[in-house]
Structure formats: structure tokens, C-alpha cells
């Protein structure tokens, strides 16, 4: 169940993210969520920001690997559901390449903002993109990348939106670290609020990246068993990153948990004894809230549930 808020309520999440970014010597930690259950768990555990992973969205909605198969419609619909579970919690969302040229990118920014997303990232892969930690990525020219970021920034201004624009480059793999930094420095000049260098290969590169970007907030992507060396939240903060996302943690844990449960069922013919029960699952996903909403409105349909 998605309970939407009015347009006047929408800026709260974006403003909250801006406030989190403004904290000195602090870092925004966003676990990757890909469906309603993973988002509910992250909120229940007290995370103050969520990250809508494109890979997780592609796999959970389509059942296919992250190879650019999820459309703008798929992503916006998923983002709206996630952002409206708790409209006060910022959602940072993957927007891939923006789904087309400048006109399409402007439309993407408008749709994400009106869905309640606090920040989105747009990258410099070709339209036939793939996960940032897979090999063989193809990159557009600097001019096309800057045009994408400019289109996003212009759309935000023209429509009076407050959504944060994150510029992501995947150029490290094929064009090198220096080129990747050059692209993001220029993207910040164009108007990007945060910069995101995908698939750095060493801690030294991480530190150098933050140094080169100066006052522009930097985002670090921690992908389990990916190209980038794994570091902790505290280490990332010490290096000067302002945002760290963990896109794999949620669906990686879910895949393992589902495999384990199904293995027990397959072998024994019974469910695992330690499973979360149906009532506990419903309570996680808003049962008590729904009962209270019904009661306050004078409804009686849910009165007998508890």
C-alpha cells in the first residue's frame, strides 16, 4: 500500500538530504533497496536515506540482469513506490543514462522529482548500458555527457524543482582515471550537486578523486565483489566522501536467504523453522499504520485484525 503525500509535502525529503549533506565530517549512508520489503526493512532499522538500485530494480521487476533493459517507466514507477513508503526519508535513485536525449532527460528529472525522489544520478554510458562493475562498457563523448547533465539542471530550474542532480561517470574503465575526474569536474561546473566516479580500483584513487573534486560532494559506490576495494563507512568518511551507497547488500542478502529457505523446503518438504511469520511480515509492511488510519477515519473494516 502506497500512501502518497501532496506536492507541498514533497520537498521535505530533498531538504532533509541537503541538510544531511551539509553536516561537517559526516557521511550519508544509503543501503540499496529494490522493492517494498527491502525498503521497509531499511526504514525499520533506522537508515535515514535509501538508495534505489537499478540492478536490483531490473532483477526484481524484470527478472533480468542489469543490461539497460529497465525502461524509464519501470524505474519511475519503482521510485515512486519506494519514495512514498515514508515521504520524509530521502531516496537517491539510479536514472541510468536519462533514457534519451535532452528532452527525454528533462522528462526523467520531472518524473523522478514528482515521484518524490530526493536525488538521481545520470551517467555517461551509451544507451545500451550495463552494470558499472561489468566489463566492456561504452562511453559517450564529453559533449554528450555534459549535455545530459545540463539538460537535467535546466529541467530542474525551468520546472521549479529541488531534486539533487548527481553526475556519474563510468569512464574509468576505458578512458582512465584522469579522464573520469575531468568529466566530473566539468559536470560540477555545469550544475551537478554531487559527483560519482564508478569503479575506482584503489584506495589511492578514492582519496585522489575527493581531493580533485574540492568542495563538490563525492559519492562512493560499494559493490560487493566488484571492482572497487571494499572499505567501511568510517574509512569513506575519513577520505572525505559525503555519500556512500551499498546497492548489493539488500538483494545479495535476499538471494542468499531465499536460496537457503528453498533448499530446506526442497530437501525436507517443510519450511525452515526460523522463518519470519506472516503477522510479523505484515506489521513490518504497515499493518499497524493501516489499522490506525482506518480507525481515525471512523472505519471498522480493519477493527478486528488485532
Amino acid at each position: 500500500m502506497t500512501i502518497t503525500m501532496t506536492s507541498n509535502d514533497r520537498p521535505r525529503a530533498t531538504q532533509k538530504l541537503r541538510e544531511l549533506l551539509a553536516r561537517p565530517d559526516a557521511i550519508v549512508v544509503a543501503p540499496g533497496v529494490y522493492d517494498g520489503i527491502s525498503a521497509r526493512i531499511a526504514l525499520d532499522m533506522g537508515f535515514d536515506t535509501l538508495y534505489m538500485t537499478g540492478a536490483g530494480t531490473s532483477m526484481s521487476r524484470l527478472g533480468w540482469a542489469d543490461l539497460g533493459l529497465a525502461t524509464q517507466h519501470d524505474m519511475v514507477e519503482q521510485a515512486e513506490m519506494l519514495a512514498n513508503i515514508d515521504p520524509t526519508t530521502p531516496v537517491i535513485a539510479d536514472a541510468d543514462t536519462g533514457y534519451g536525449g535532452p528532452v527525454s532527460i528533462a522528462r526523467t528529472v520531472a518524473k523522478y522529482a514528482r515521484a518524490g525522489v530526493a536525488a538521481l544520478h545520470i551517467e555517461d554510458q551509451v544507451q545500451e548500458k550495463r552494470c558499472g562493475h561489468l566489463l566492456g562498457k561504452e562511453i559517450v563523448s564529453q559533449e554528450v555527457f555534459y549535455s545530459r547533465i545540463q539538460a537535467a539542471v535546466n529541467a530542474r530550474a525551468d520546472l521549479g524543482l529541488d531534486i539533487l542532480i548527481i553526475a556519474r561517470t563510468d569512464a574509468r574503465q576505458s578512458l582512465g582515471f584522469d579522464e573520469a575526474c575531468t568529466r566530473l569536474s566539468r559536470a560540477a561546473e555545469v550544475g551537478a550537486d554531487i559527483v560519482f566516479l564508478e569503479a575506482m580500483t584503489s584506495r589511492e584513487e578514492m582519496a585522489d578523486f575527493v581531493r580533485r573534486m574540492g568542495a563538490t560532494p563525492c559519492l562512493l559506490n560499494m559493490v560487493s565483489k566488484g571492482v572497487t576495494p571494499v572499505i567501511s563507512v568510517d574509512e569513506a568518511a575519513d577520505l572525505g566522501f559525503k555519500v556512500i551507497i551499498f546497492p548489493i547488500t539488500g538483494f545479495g542478502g535476499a538471494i542468499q536467504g531465499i536460496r537457503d529457505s528453498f533448499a530446506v523446503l526442497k530437501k525436507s518438504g517443510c519450511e525452515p523453522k526460523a522463518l519470519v511469520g506472516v503477522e510479523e511480515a505484515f506489521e513490518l509492511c504497515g499493518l499497524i499504520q493501516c489499522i490506525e488510519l482506518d480507525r481515525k477515519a471512523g472505519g471498522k473494516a480493519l477493527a478486528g485484525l488485532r
Side-chain angles (χ1 to χ4, degrees), residues 41-110:
I41 292 170
L43 292 169
D44 188 59
M45 298 191 70
F47 286 99
D48 56 21
T49 306
L50 307 180
Y51 174 66
M52 188 189 89
T53 158
T57 297
S58 182
M59 289 186 287
S60 64
R61 285 182 67 90
L62 307 179
W64 288 98
D66 183 16
L67 297 173
L69 299 174
T71 65
Q72 181 197 71
H73 175 78
D74 293 326
M75 298 291 280
V76 170
E77 191 171 70
Q78 192 83 334
E80 182 175 27
M81 180 272 293
L82 294 171
N84 282 280
I85 291 175
D86 178 359
T88 67
T89 298
V91 171
I92 300 170
D94 188 348
D96 296 317
T97 62
Y99 311 107
V103 174
S104 293
I105 289 169
R107 187 166 177 261
T108 295
V109 170

Side-chain angles (χ1 to χ4, degrees), residues 9 12 28 34 64 67 93 123 138 166 187 213 239 258 286 302 304:
D9 292 310
R12 290 187 296 168
V28 175
Y34 56 91
W64 288 98
L67 297 173
E123 67 199 47
E138 295 183 53
I166 303 172
M213 294 303 106
L239 288 174
I258 293 169
L302 304 183

Side-chain angles (χ1 to χ4, degrees), residues 11 29 66 80 93 99 114 118 145 165 189 193 214 244 257:
V29 180
D66 183 16
E80 182 175 27
Y99 311 107
R114 288 167 180 160
F145 178 47
I165 307 299
E189 293 173 4
D193 303 285
I244 183 169

Side-chain angles (χ1 to χ4, degrees), residues 32 35 39 92 110 113 147 196 219 245 259 262 272 279:
D35 65 2
I92 300 170
S147 175
F196 173 0
L219 181 152
I245 58 175
R259 276 180 175 165
F262 284 1
E279 185 173 353

Side-chain angles (χ1 to χ4, degrees), residues 252-276:
I255 290 171
Q256 187 61 55
I258 293 169
R259 276 180 175 165
D260 291 346
S261 292
F262 284 1
V264 171
L265 177 61
K266 178 76 171 176
K267 183 176 181 179
S268 69
C270 297
E271 290 184 332
K273 294 180 180 179
L275 280 183
V276 169

Side-chain angles (χ1 to χ4, degrees), residues 102 105-106 109 120 122 147-157 165:
I105 289 169
V109 170
L120 60 78
I122 294 175
S147 175
R148 288 177 180 176
I149 302 304
Q150 188 70 69
V153 171
N154 289 349
R156 176 176 61 185
I165 307 299

Side-chain angles (χ1 to χ4, degrees), residues 13-23 26-30 49-51 90-93 117-124 145-146 148-150 152-153 156 162-169 180-198 200 209-210 212-221 240-245:
T14 306
Q15 183 58 37
K16 182 176 178 181
L17 181 57
R18 291 183 182 277
E19 291 170 358
L20 291 171
L21 288 169
R23 297 175 302 175
I27 187 169
V28 175
V29 180
T49 306
L50 307 180
Y51 174 66
V91 171
I92 300 170
V117 170
L120 60 78
H121 62 75
I122 294 175
E123 67 199 47
D124 57 359
F145 178 47
Y146 302 150
R148 288 177 180 176
I149 302 304
Q150 188 70 69
V153 171
R156 176 176 61 185
D162 195 33
I163 189 170
L164 282 83
I165 307 299
I166 303 172
R168 164 178 156 172
T169 182
C181 289
T182 296
R183 288 181 173 226
L184 292 182
S185 292
R186 174 59 180 153
E189 293 173 4
V190 168
D193 303 285
I194 301 169
V195 288
F196 173 0
L197 201 166
E198 178 68 300
M200 289 177 282
F209 167 53
V210 174
R212 293 192 191 198
M213 294 303 106
T216 303
C218 297
L219 181 152
L220 178 62
N221 188 17
F241 286 94
K242 295 299 294 182
V243 183
I244 183 169
I245 58 175

